[in-house]
Amino acid sequence: MSLTVQALSPEPVRALPDMGDTPRIDGGPTIALTYGTYDLFHIGHVRLFERIKQRYDRLIVAVSTDEFNAIKGKKAVVPYADRVAMVRACRYVDEVIPENDWGQKESDVLVHGVDAVVMGSDWTGRFDELKSLCDVVYLPRTEGVSSTELKADVVAAVSGRA
Ligand code: C2G
């Protein structure tokens, strides 16, 4: 009877679903990735980052460029460079990358060794195609605040309707 040693194929390293505090098999920091425009940076954005960092060791934030927002049919009040600076200044954020198109997510996950893509609940289901590569987590939005509402409040205030 000959004993042959068969090389085991290395399993992809990633954390268990939504239990971000579970250490990675390679012992490295667990990594989360999230996407957004972050226009008129507000408490809803901060609370999302805070909750992600309660679950994962590192947070990478992909900020939509002005060109990509045009593709999304959105126009941010705050220019891209300033939105990046404000997101980067948030203590929960470890790295900022640009979001240039809808199709970059799979390569972002692979290039950055992401354990989980985390989005607010208004995106529920829309990132599920990534589940073959990493965990996909949707967290409840912070109620009562949004960039759109803030814009409407400013317009109302300026036009004396507030
Ligand atoms: N968010 C939240 N609570 C709010 C407002 C926003 O948790 N009150 C979350 C959203 O759910 C999202 C993130 O903050 O996960 C960023 O929101 P937006 O800046 O509005 O992002 P959006 O323009 O929807 O871009 O490819 C995905 C897109 O880039 C998402």
Side-chain angles (χ1 to χ4, degrees):
M1 181 172 74
S2 66
L3 292 177
T4 56
V5 178
Q6 193 194 355
L8 290 176
S9 60
E11 286 300 314
V13 176
R14 60 190 174 93
L16 291 172
D18 202 19
M19 297 166 58
D21 54 3
T22 304
R24 282 167 57 128
I25 296 170
D26 66 356
T30 52
I31 301 170
L33 170 63
T34 193
Y35 294 82
T37 301
Y38 308 108
D39 193 21
L40 304 177
F41 195 59
H42 56 67
I43 193 64
H45 301 139
V46 174
R47 289 275 174 271
L48 181 72
F49 296 163
E50 184 182 23
R51 284 175 290 155
I52 295 175
K53 278 309 279 284
Q54 283 163 357
R55 288 170 169 80
Y56 301 92
D57 301 316
R58 268 182 71 70
L59 171 58
I60 302 172
V61 179
V63 176
S64 310
T65 61
D66 295 327
E67 295 73 19
F68 180 48
N69 270 329
I71 294 169
K72 287 198 276 182
K74 279 184 104 158
K75 172 118 183 50
V77 172
V78 181
Y80 174 69
D82 296 355
R83 288 184 282 116
V84 166
M86 282 187 268
V87 167
R88 187 173 278 138
C90 182
R91 66 189 176 90
Y92 302 116
V93 176
D94 299 290
E95 187 177 350
V96 176
I97 60 174
E99 184 184 22
N100 297 301
D101 56 62
W102 291 112
Q104 68 179 67
K105 296 186 174 71
E106 292 188 6
S107 65
D108 290 343
V109 168
L110 296 170
V111 166
H112 297 280
V114 168
D115 295 291
V117 169
V118 187
M119 294 294 293
S121 50
D122 50 323
W123 286 88
T124 298
R126 299 182 56 194
F127 285 64
D128 288 359
E129 79 277 1
L130 298 171
K131 285 188 174 174
S132 59
L133 297 173
C134 65
D135 301 307
V136 177
V137 179
Y138 303 102
L139 296 177
R141 274 171 69 87
T142 299
E143 292 312 319
V145 62
S146 74
S147 309
T148 310
E149 284 168 37
L150 286 171
K151 282 178 219 172
D153 294 348
V154 170
V155 170
V158 169
S159 56
R161 279 186 286 109

